[in-house]
Amino acid sequence: MANFQDSYLSGGNIDFIEGLYARYLEDASSVDPSWRELFERSTDGAGRPIFNPTPIEPPAPAAKEGKGEGKGAKDGAKDGAKDGGKPAAAVATAPQTAPSLAFEQDMKLQARVDQAISAFRLRGHLRAKLDPLDRPRPPLEHVADVGMTDDQHFSATELEQMVESFNVFPEARVQLKTLLGRLRRTYTGSIGVEFMQMLDSERRRWLMKRMEYTENRTDFPVQEQRDILTKLSYAEGFENFLHTKYVNAKRFALDGGEALVPMMDALLEVGGGMGLREVVIGMAHRGRLNVLTNILGKKPDQIFSEFDGPRDPKNHMGRGDVKYHMGFSSDHTTRGGQSIHLSLAFNPSHLEAVNPVVEGRVRAKQDRGGDGERRKVMPLLIHGDAAFIGQGVVAETLNLSRLSGYETGGTVHLVINNQVGFTTDPMDSRSSIYSTALAQMLDVPVFHVNGDDPEACVHVGRLVAEYRQTFKSDVVVDLICYRRFGHNEGDDPSFTQPVMYEVIHKHHPVRALYAKQLADQGRISLEVSDGIKQQCMQEFDAALTRARAESQFKEPNALEGLWKPYKGGPEAGVPEVKTGVDKQKLREALEKLAHAPEGFHVHPVVERTVLKKRQTMLQTEEIQWGEGETLAYATLVSEGYPVRLSGQDCERGTFSHRHAVLNDVKTGAKYSPLDQFATGKARFSVLNSPLSEMGVLGFEYGYSLDVPDGLTLWEAQFGDFANGAQIIIDQFIAAGESKWRRLSGLTLLLPHGYEGQGPEHSSARLERFLSLSAEDNIQVVYPTTPAQIFHLLRRQILRPLRKPLVIMSPKSLLRRPEAVSKLEELASGGFQEVILDKVKPEGVTRLLLCSGKVYYDLVKARDEKKDESIAIVRVEQLFPFPFEELAALVGKMPQLAELYWVQEEPRNSGAWHFIFPRLHDLIATRGQAPVKVGYIGRAEAASPATGFLQTHNLEQQLIVEEAILRGTKNGR
């Protein structure tokens, strides 16, 4: 018998044999007669198949003759006797017949065929012709089975044999050379696919069938080829026109990657036919202007006018953004007659930062429109190759894709792979073969396609659209192209890639290559192709004439659709709104929040510190911070305003003050008391986010852009964790209105306060937000009572002004006995930007202005001293600065001699540098005797806080003594 390792029934062939047996059970005639004979012999007495293709064990060694023949031989003889009376050794050594040898050889061939099929599917992309510049790929000797994609592994005779097709063909058996030819065309042509790593076998089989049956090509009729050529002509013509009319102007051209345009068009065509009705697009600079005009339909007149700029620059001082950052929206009609609304998101120069913003917008649109299946609205992200692999926010965004609070039904990722990142070669920018390697963290396919094969690009565009709409899964396309010019049009790339650009300078553009291909095939003549090209240039010429004859320049559209009832701009003139809620309604709400459903087993500590405490509050009517916040959410939702709160551990709250979700200690079931207040589409959503700041904050900012009538909040676990999202804060939250005229009511909850918890758990970097504050762009507040947070959150949604709100939220004040509010304070009044002191202003000689927790330390020391010449005033809203209210207060203090700003933060942090010039302006309004202006707080420090509790307590004591007991010292 053949050696066990070479047996056709060895473990290496089990998958093949089991698949063949499953086909036999369904249809015996579908398998080769030799296999059918084997399976038919493997039946029980009733004729039922019992074949079980498990690896056979090697035969037991034969027993020695003579005296060595003992127990083993006797046992073998007994076992053999059960099978026709032959000893086991005789069975193992019986000579094979000629048919069985032929059969085994056929199976060995089939096993090698099986390996070849697997190699093509798994590694074929490594042999694919992906580089338009046709440069050799790096050697891949370390990939062992890639060689199975070569014909030399089979003899000329074997290539003529019939073999199992393994579903590469609809037919069960085909000639080997035919099978290999199809695999080669499918997997090693202009398209390479990474999909065999996917764990989901259903999606793998779906892709195999659609790729292998078509050989990863589409047989385009002439009209569709003409459409592709026309798209390429407009894409190329647009760039050529700008290159000649606006010499050296930055535009981050698509030259070399023009196939992106027909690919996107194909994606929309198929998606529209499968229920897609809206696409939100995020992309950086490369090709953005081209996509704007050739996909979204922005008139080239407008783009040309943006190159020319406004006729009166004074009207746009300090506003606007460069043209390749601007967004746009339009209604796109497919050739099939479907209307798809397209939105290109505004974005900054920080590559990939727009990704989570787009995802948040899509989720908001899906939630608002009831798109629970996530078929109607889709995110489309267009990346650069170096940015996709290099920027951490890409991984953060990919990680959101399957999380219930953030999923959007699958994102299509298109990577414009220029094969260079500014001046950096791929070998210096990534440790992987492909720039898309990061996508392997998800169970998704990655398509690599040669950008000089537009028909392959369109085929992939169609396939990924169908895949996304079918499986609601992310999918990645790596469009491998090149950059004809430098990073921008004023750059010379030959400084750093001289060899590459020598090739590029000699390389024909994709439109010319495709036009020649069509002419050679007798499909479309070169004369017709040239006519299409000339028509494009004539249209661009006419657009430029119109742009320069008329005043075309205009700022982006804003405050349309959902945003019509809301306003941005200055806070002044915005009418005040009533934020108080009837006291009886508050009591009823608190009563609901104080109980869990019958039979729900609440943790004993939570029962005591949350539910029982709320029941006690109904008696005392004294509300702590957590209840003030929760009552704000409850009343807003009950009035029809949706509330969405996300962040790390925010269901419970970092400091266990919220417990917006209760967990049954016996069953693990969850219950949110705020669910009781849902009305219509308004509900309260609280989400424990992944350990991500930039990705999640970007998502929530995007969500807020499409839910102006809802309260969207993001909470940092500790305030300074917002450091990880600084790009979102700087470029979107603080500057979005000024740059793009986009409003947002996003609210940030940033725990802040000096409690002796060390440098990373003290400061939310208040100074950074204040340094970003200008033109009424954001609101920065530091509230100190439950009533203040209640009215503040309600004010954020009830008044028509939409501005991001940054809240320095407390830690120790969450439960500090002095920091409570009477229920009546929630029922009446509103948010106080300044909270005045109880002392009479006429006798005040020293005025202490402060914000936050330090107030309670100051007032305690002042009251113990019983000094009514010292007034302590809380500035609860730092920006917009409440100048008029404070000026009126200072005007009522005729004996005022000293005005100090007191803070816990170091002198170079906190609000001091923001406050200092405004204090002098306040004093200037008095027109009376000079007043000394000064600072009381910690000394300048490189680190936000000390790491030692004893040192913290000493520093805090010195601040209070300086402010209340002794007056200021020159050294602080």
Side-chain angles (χ1 to χ4, degrees):
M1 180 155 180
N3 181 280
F4 168 71
Q5 296 298 329
D6 295 331
S7 170
Y8 67 89
L9 291 178
S10 66
N13 297 325
I14 289 303
D15 286 345
F16 164 70
I17 297 171
E18 287 185 340
L20 207 60
Y21 184 58
R23 188 194 298 172
Y24 164 80
L25 293 177
E26 292 181 7
D27 180 8
S29 64
S30 68
V31 301
D32 184 85
S34 58
W35 279 107
R36 189 162 62 243
E37 181 182 354
L38 173 65
F39 294 148
E40 286 172 352
R41 288 201 306 267
S42 304
T43 60
D44 60 13
R48 291 186 294 267
I50 58 171
F51 179 73
N52 186 16
T54 56
I56 62 173
E57 295 295 329
K64 294 181 180 179
E65 297 180 1
K67 292 183 179 180
E69 187 177 307
K71 186 176 184 297
K74 294 177 182 178
D75 289 346
K78 291 178 181 178
D79 291 340
K82 298 176 183 177
D83 297 319
K86 295 181 181 179
V91 173
T93 58
Q96 292 179 286
T97 64
S100 66
L101 285 172
F103 182 67
E104 183 171 341
Q105 288 196 358
D106 286 347
M107 291 308 100
K108 286 182 179 179
L109 173 60
Q110 188 65 58
R112 288 162 53 216
V113 171
D114 178 17
Q115 287 180 303
I117 294 172
S118 297
F120 272 106
R121 289 170 173 170
L122 182 63
R123 310 284 193 185
H125 58 88
L126 298 174
R127 297 277 185 168
K129 302 172 183 63
L130 301 177
D131 186 358
L133 305 179
D134 201 26
R135 295 171 298 170
R137 299 181 72 166
L140 295 167
E141 289 85 359
H142 63 287
V143 183
D145 63 347
V146 71
M148 286 301 297
T149 60
D150 295 330
D151 278 359
Q152 60 261 36
H153 287 271
F154 301 96
S155 69
T157 301
E158 289 172 332
L159 291 171
E160 300 296 327
Q161 286 187 236
M162 299 294 287
V163 295
E164 291 287 334
S165 76
F166 239 173
N167 290 320
V168 174
F169 284 80
E171 298 81 9
R173 292 174 65 81
V174 296
Q175 212 169 21
L176 176 55
K177 65 181 180 182
T178 304
L179 176 68
L180 294 177
R182 168 164 287 191
L183 290 169
R184 190 175 299 108
R185 290 186 294 274
T186 300
Y187 293 113
T188 67
S190 296
I191 301 171
V193 193
E194 295 178 273
F195 73 105
M196 289 297 287
Q197 81 286 349
M198 294 165 55
L199 300 176
D200 189 332
S201 58
E202 179 189 358
R203 287 186 282 143
R204 283 203 315 271
R205 290 194 299 268
W206 187 93
L207 285 168
M208 285 178 193
K209 184 175 181 179
R210 276 158 179 76
M211 293 188 296
E212 292 170 355
Y213 283 18
T214 65
E215 298 184 355
N216 246 344
R217 305 291 298 186
T218 299
D219 187 12
F220 292 102
V222 172
Q223 182 55 50
E224 291 188 14
Q225 290 177 320
R226 183 187 177 101
D227 290 340
I228 295 172
L229 179 63
T230 301
K231 287 292 182 184
L232 290 174
S233 299
Y234 274 92
E236 178 188 271
F238 178 78
E239 300 295 357
N240 288 345
F241 190 84
L242 291 176
H243 194 63
T244 56
K245 300 300 181 181
Y246 298 96
V247 180
N248 290 330
K250 286 185 181 181
R251 69 179 192 276
F252 299 95
L254 190 59
D255 297 273
E258 294 94 336
L260 174 72
V261 172
M263 177 189 281
M264 291 182 68
D265 181 70
L267 191 154
L268 295 174
E269 286 292 322
V270 173
M274 297 183 71
L276 190 62
R277 295 296 174 263
E278 187 166 1
V279 178
V280 182
I281 306 169
M283 68 180 299
H285 312 42
R286 183 72 54 208
R288 187 181 182 90
L289 298 179
N290 211 309
V291 168
L292 275 168
T293 190
N294 287 314
I295 294 296
L296 279 89
K298 184 174 182 179
K299 292 182 179 179
D301 318 31
Q302 178 63 21
I303 294 176
F304 299 154
S305 72
E306 290 169 2
F307 274 92
D308 291 333
R311 295 184 178 178
D312 187 357
K314 294 193 298 293
N315 293 335
H316 300 270
M317 292 181 69
R319 302 202 335 266
D321 200 354
V322 291
K323 49 199 159 291
Y324 39 81
H325 288 176
M326 304 303 282
F328 189 74
S329 63
S330 65
D331 290 318
H332 172 89
T333 302
T334 68
R335 287 183 291 281
Q338 298 294 340
S339 178
I340 303 178
H341 186 72
L342 305 179
S343 300
L344 178 62
F346 296 81
N347 75 288
S349 286
H350 292 78
L351 300 176
E352 308 295 337
V354 76
N355 295 358
V357 176
V358 166
E359 301 292 344
R361 289 198 62 191
V362 170
R363 178 58 183 258
K365 289 175 181 290
Q366 292 172 342
D367 288 352
R368 174 180 288 280
D371 184 16
E373 294 185 357
R374 315 203 186 285
R375 290 174 52 87
K376 297 178 182 178
V377 191
M378 182 188 83
L380 170 60
L381 296 176
I382 304 177
H383 314 266
D385 52 323
F388 190 84
I389 194 68
Q391 294 291 305
V393 70
V394 176
E396 292 189 33
T397 306
L398 291 172
N399 186 51
L400 296 175
S401 65
R402 290 293 186 183
L403 303 182
S404 62
Y406 306 91
E407 63 181 344
T408 54
T411 300
V412 174
H413 301 267
L414 301 182
V415 178
I416 302 177
N417 190 341
N418 301 144
Q419 307 187 74
V420 61
F422 199 165
T423 68
T424 303
D425 289 316
M427 68 181 68
D428 296 318
S429 65
R430 64 177 186 256
S431 300
S432 54
I433 296 174
Y434 297 116
S435 63
T436 54
L438 193 64
Q440 301 288 4
M441 65 183 284
L442 302 181
D443 199 36
V444 301
V446 179
F447 294 84
H448 307 277
V449 58
N450 189 318
D452 264 7
D453 188 340
E455 290 191 4
C457 293
V458 170
H459 174 81
V460 168
R462 292 178 169 188
L463 184 56
V464 298
E466 186 182 2
Y467 174 88
R468 190 274 174 188
Q469 289 298 93
T470 300
F471 294 106
K472 309 302 183 298
S473 162
D474 281 44
V475 58
V476 179
V477 178
D478 181 17
L479 175 61
I480 302 175
C481 49
Y482 58 91
R483 195 183 63 193
R484 184 162 291 278
F485 303 105
H487 176 67
N488 62 67
E489 287 63 37
D491 178 50
D492 186 348
S494 66
F495 292 163
T496 49
Q497 280 78 29
V499 176
M500 179 183 188
Y501 273 87
E502 182 65 25
V503 176
I504 290 174
H505 290 154
K506 298 175 182 177
H507 191 73
H508 293 293
V510 60
R511 189 210 65 83
L513 295 173
Y514 189 53
K516 183 178 184 304
Q517 174 190 325
L518 294 176
D520 292 345
Q521 293 172 348
R523 310 283 281 182
I524 299 175
S525 69
L526 288 175
E527 290 76 17
V528 172
S529 298
D530 288 341
I532 295 172
K533 178 180 177 180
Q534 293 304 316
Q535 179 184 347
C536 297
M537 301 309 288
Q538 290 169 8
E539 290 183 16
F540 291 133
D541 262 322
L544 181 62
T545 300
R546 291 193 299 270
R548 291 181 172 173
E550 307 169 16
S551 178
Q552 292 279 335
F553 185 84
K554 61 180 181 179
E555 292 189 279
N557 294 334
L559 302 181
E560 298 178 352
L562 292 172
W563 285 94
K564 280 187 178 179
Y566 307 99
K567 72 180 296 291
E571 186 180 59
V574 177
E576 289 298 321
V577 293
K578 181 180 179 295
T579 56
V581 175
D582 179 76
K583 187 175 177 180
Q584 183 55 37
K585 289 183 178 179
L586 290 173
R587 289 186 59 87
E588 292 171 0
L590 190 58
E591 175 69 30
K592 289 183 178 180
L593 294 167
H595 297 88
E598 186 176 349
F600 193 92
H601 307 94
V602 182
H603 192 286
V605 176
V606 177
E607 176 79 29
R608 183 181 72 254
T609 61
V610 179
L611 301 184
K612 294 294 185 185
K613 182 186 70 174
R614 289 173 179 174
Q615 294 166 23
T616 301
M617 288 179 185
L618 286 167
Q619 308 302 318
T620 64
E621 295 194 347
E622 288 189 341
I623 303 299
Q624 288 187 338
W625 187 279
E627 283 62 44
E629 177 193 341
T630 304
L631 284 170
Y633 301 147
T635 53
L636 285 172
V637 171
S638 66
E639 292 167 19
Y641 301 102
V643 175
R644 175 186 169 97
L645 168 63
S646 79
Q648 294 155 19
D649 310 297
C650 67
E651 286 186 2
R652 189 190 77 183
T654 301
F655 311 102
S656 299
H657 78 286
R658 183 177 292 121
H659 285 286
V661 174
L662 305 179
N663 296 274
D664 191 304
V665 296
K666 293 186 178 180
T667 67
K670 292 180 178 291
Y671 169 69
S672 175
L674 283 160
D675 286 345
Q676 303 171 84
F677 301 91
T679 50
K681 291 186 177 181
R683 58 188 295 268
F684 175 77
S685 302
V686 58
L687 307 164
N688 278 346
S689 77
L691 197 63
S692 156
E693 287 83 34
M694 185 172 176
V696 175
L697 181 56
F699 189 100
E700 301 307 334
Y701 173 79
Y703 197 95
S704 73
L705 296 179
D706 281 86
V707 187
D709 54 347
L711 180 62
T712 306
L713 309 98
W714 175 74
E715 181 175 58
Q717 191 176 75
F718 285 89
D720 63 319
F721 288 8
N723 289 347
Q726 199 64 47
I727 290 173
I728 301 298
I729 294 167
D730 291 352
Q731 305 301 329
F732 291 93
I733 294 173
E737 181 178 355
S738 178
K739 292 192 294 187
W740 312 315
R741 301 183 69 202
R742 284 298 178 266
L743 305 183
S744 166
L746 179 65
T747 296
L748 276 62
L749 301 176
L750 308 178
H752 175 88
Y754 281 62
E755 327 279 359
Q757 296 188 37
E760 278 72 57
H761 295 332
S762 295
S763 175
R765 295 292 189 176
L766 172 62
E767 63 278 2
R768 291 184 183 169
F769 292 98
L770 293 176
S771 71
L772 292 169
S773 300
E775 301 178 302
D776 284 8
N777 61 332
I778 59 177
Q779 307 163 84
V780 182
V781 298
Y782 198 168
T784 54
T785 72
Q788 284 286 83
I789 190 64
F790 174 84
H791 290 296
L792 179 61
L793 292 174
R794 287 180 55 79
R795 184 184 78 163
Q796 179 70 353
I797 197 67
L798 293 178
R799 65 178 180 172
L801 188 73
R802 285 294 174 267
K803 301 282 182 178
L805 171 61
V806 180
I807 300 177
M808 300 287 116
S809 57
K811 293 181 288 185
S812 64
L813 293 191
L814 294 172
R815 298 178 179 86
R816 188 160 178 161
E818 308 98 294
V820 298
S821 298
K822 299 296 289 185
L823 196 62
E824 180 59 38
E825 295 178 68
L826 279 63
S828 59
F831 177 71
Q832 302 176 72
E833 296 178 1
V834 177
I835 300 182
L836 305 179
D837 200 0
K838 60 184 179 182
V839 302
K840 296 179 180 179
E842 296 84 1
V844 171
T845 60
R846 182 187 301 166
L847 173 58
L848 304 178
L849 297 181
C850 65
S851 287
K853 178 179 72 70
V854 72
Y855 163 78
Y856 291 98
D857 296 332
L858 294 173
V859 77
K860 179 181 178 183
R862 192 272 312 272
D863 290 351
E864 287 176 354
K865 187 182 178 183
K866 298 181 180 179
D867 187 348
E868 294 198 355
S869 67
I870 301 175
I872 305 171
V873 173
R874 282 170 278 179
V875 181
E876 301 272 294
Q877 178 171 295
L878 291 159
F879 189 84
F881 189 67
F883 185 87
E884 293 182 2
E885 192 167 353
L886 287 170
L889 174 64
V890 169
K892 297 177 181 178
M893 298 179 174
Q895 299 185 52
L896 185 64
E898 298 172 299
L899 173 58
Y900 297 113
W901 175 257
V902 185
Q903 66 180 36
E904 295 182 304
E905 302 88 352
R907 186 184 184 112
N908 57 318
S909 303
W912 169 240
H913 288 297
F914 172 82
I915 288 288
F916 176 66
R918 289 166 174 80
L919 296 185
H920 281 279
D921 292 342
L922 282 174
I923 297 305
T925 63
R926 293 179 77 244
Q928 301 177 30
V931 174
K932 180 180 180 180
V933 175
Y935 163 86
I936 300 175
R938 285 172 168 80
E940 289 187 352
S943 175
T946 178
F948 301 100
L949 180 60
Q950 297 90 334
T951 305
H952 160 79
N953 291 335
L954 175 61
E955 291 174 347
Q956 198 77 2
Q957 178 185 341
L958 293 174
I959 291 172
V960 174
E961 289 179 355
E962 197 169 314
I964 302 297
L965 304 179
R966 294 198 301 268
T968 59
K969 301 285 186 180
N970 291 331
R972 295 188 66 78

